[in-house]
Amino acid sequence: MLFRSVGNLIPTKGHASLLRSFARVSAEFPDCSLEIIGDGPLRADLQKLAVDLGIARAVHFRGRQGRDYVAAAMRRCTLFALPSEYEGLGCAYLEAMACAKPAIGCRGQGIAEVIEHGETGLLVTPGNDIELSDTILSLLRDAGQQKRIGSSARALILERFTLSRQAEELSGIYRGCAR
């Protein structure tokens, strides 16, 4: 099992919380791995934290990657998690959801406007490592839940976030302004 996170390696993105949660998850699922795509000033600190937690062999820091790499990575993962403490809408969540992957984000952030907890994704409290690891574990233990949430997430993206749907909404805004 593989889960991913994509984002700049800065304090607000919650990667340290994700690593601490992954340490707990890997105790039950020793064959799972975590791929972190992105770069930033915390990379060395996060790599050290992975060593200190004893999970460095299962955590892969991929650095900044292009769109094709990220898209392929999303298609191959089991789930996506970005426990960001300060986030707007967050395109990485939408990319994972478009690939029918369960996405885990934080309550009180922009993604909470898109993710309906338990239906189109899962929401946790920012900085709550135990809640995050429990949420990840619940998904890893239940392939049916993974599939159901992933399918609902993809349906939502196709309904609300395609290029044609966005163009239609923008066109409506312009028409409204022209009146």
Side-chain angles (χ1 to χ4, degrees):
M1 289 177 259
L2 173 64
F3 60 103
R4 289 203 166 73
S5 188
V6 178
N8 293 322
L9 304 184
I10 57 176
T12 59
K13 294 295 184 178
H15 288 103
S17 179
L18 182 59
L19 288 172
R20 289 188 297 270
S21 297
F22 180 73
R24 188 167 174 249
V25 168
S26 65
E28 182 173 334
F29 291 93
D31 292 335
C32 71
S33 61
L34 168 61
E35 182 178 74
I36 298 175
I37 301 170
D39 214 343
L42 288 184
R43 184 172 180 158
D45 292 341
L46 293 170
Q47 288 172 317
K48 182 181 181 319
L49 179 59
V51 170
D52 293 346
L53 292 169
I55 57 172
R57 293 184 63 176
V59 178
H60 309 283
F61 291 87
R62 301 295 187 210
R64 195 168 311 281
Q65 298 294 328
R67 289 178 183 227
D68 290 341
Y69 182 94
V70 173
M74 291 295 191
R75 287 190 296 272
R76 291 188 314 265
C77 72
T78 304
L79 63 91
F80 174 82
L82 183 61
S84 186
E85 297 171 7
Y86 181 78
E87 190 75 43
L89 182 57
C91 289
Y93 301 100
L94 302 179
E95 291 168 346
M97 294 168 73
C99 292
K101 304 302 177 181
I104 301 171
C106 286
R107 290 181 191 88
Q109 307 306 309
I111 196 59
E113 295 178 21
V114 176
I115 291 177
E116 182 182 344
H117 182 73
E119 296 299 321
T120 58
L122 294 160
L123 298 169
V124 298
T125 305
N128 188 328
D129 303 349
I130 300 298
E131 184 182 8
L132 177 58
S133 60
D134 286 347
T135 299
I136 293 168
L137 285 166
S138 75
L139 281 171
L140 296 180
R141 291 175 186 142
D142 188 347
Q145 181 187 30
Q146 288 175 37
K147 185 171 178 56
R148 181 183 55 75
I149 290 174
S151 294
S152 295
R154 179 164 171 74
L156 175 74
I157 296 300
L158 293 175
E159 177 186 319
R160 292 182 42 199
F161 293 96
T162 62
L163 185 58
S164 62
R165 179 69 179 132
Q166 294 297 304
E168 184 180 302
E169 286 187 29
L170 186 58
S171 177
I173 291 169
Y174 284 146
R175 282 191 301 276
C177 290
R179 292 181 196 170

